[in-house]
Amino acid sequence: ITMETESLYRVRWLVDSSVSDPNDVVQFRLRANQQEVWSNWCREVFSYNQHAPAAGSPKYYEITFDPSDYLRGASSPQIPLVQTPLVITFDILSFELFDDTSSWIYLDKATVEEVTISP
């Protein structure tokens, strides 16, 4: 996905699982990686306090970001802003001892959209 500079973006992931108790879901990570400048935005979902989705009750997780912040360095404000590719990823972590590692976690949908934020 190519991002335009001077724009704000939101990535939304819709995630579901195969376990009835969200505290048993394996931990997972959602990332938006900006390749040209080696930057990323990350959202980790831990398997406690009902943060993860239960079976049949998918949840949305979001990251909103401004890619221009990483394209224009503080020491070089004259560097022109360019289009940069964005790669979105979905990783399973499962570091918790009590996670149900035989369960499934599903990425139902991922969307990237340009957004406007009003103060």
Side-chain angles (χ1 to χ4, degrees):
I1 298 167
T2 300
M3 298 180 297
E4 298 292 329
T5 56
E6 302 298 331
S7 296
L8 297 175
Y9 289 90
R10 175 174 61 194
V11 181
R12 296 182 82 198
W13 293 266
L14 180 61
V15 180
D16 201 351
S17 74
S18 67
V19 296
S20 58
D21 183 353
N23 292 334
D24 293 337
V25 174
V26 293
Q27 293 182 30
F28 57 95
R29 177 176 56 196
L30 307 161
R31 292 184 292 171
N33 299 295
Q34 192 175 358
Q35 288 185 318
E36 299 294 324
V37 291
W38 294 92
S39 62
N40 74 68
W41 298 267
C42 183
R43 171 89 189 257
E44 291 183 11
V45 179
F46 299 100
S47 56
Y48 57 83
N49 291 334
Q50 309 292 309
H51 292 289
S57 298
K59 287 188 176 185
Y60 277 103
Y61 301 92
E62 300 180 351
I63 296 174
T64 303
F65 61 93
D66 178 0
S68 300
D69 290 344
Y70 293 93
L71 295 176
R72 182 185 297 151
S75 61
S76 301
Q78 71 279 4
I79 294 175
L81 298 175
V82 296
Q83 293 181 341
T84 61
L86 176 75
V87 175
I88 56 175
T89 59
F90 172 65
D91 307 315
I92 296 175
L93 299 175
S94 190
F95 295 129
E96 289 295 319
L97 179 63
F98 299 107
D99 288 347
D100 183 352
T101 56
S102 65
S103 66
W104 288 83
I105 190 159
Y106 307 95
L107 176 61
D108 286 338
K109 181 181 3 176
T111 58
V112 178
E113 57 191 353
E114 190 174 336
V115 295
T116 302
I117 298 177
S118 300

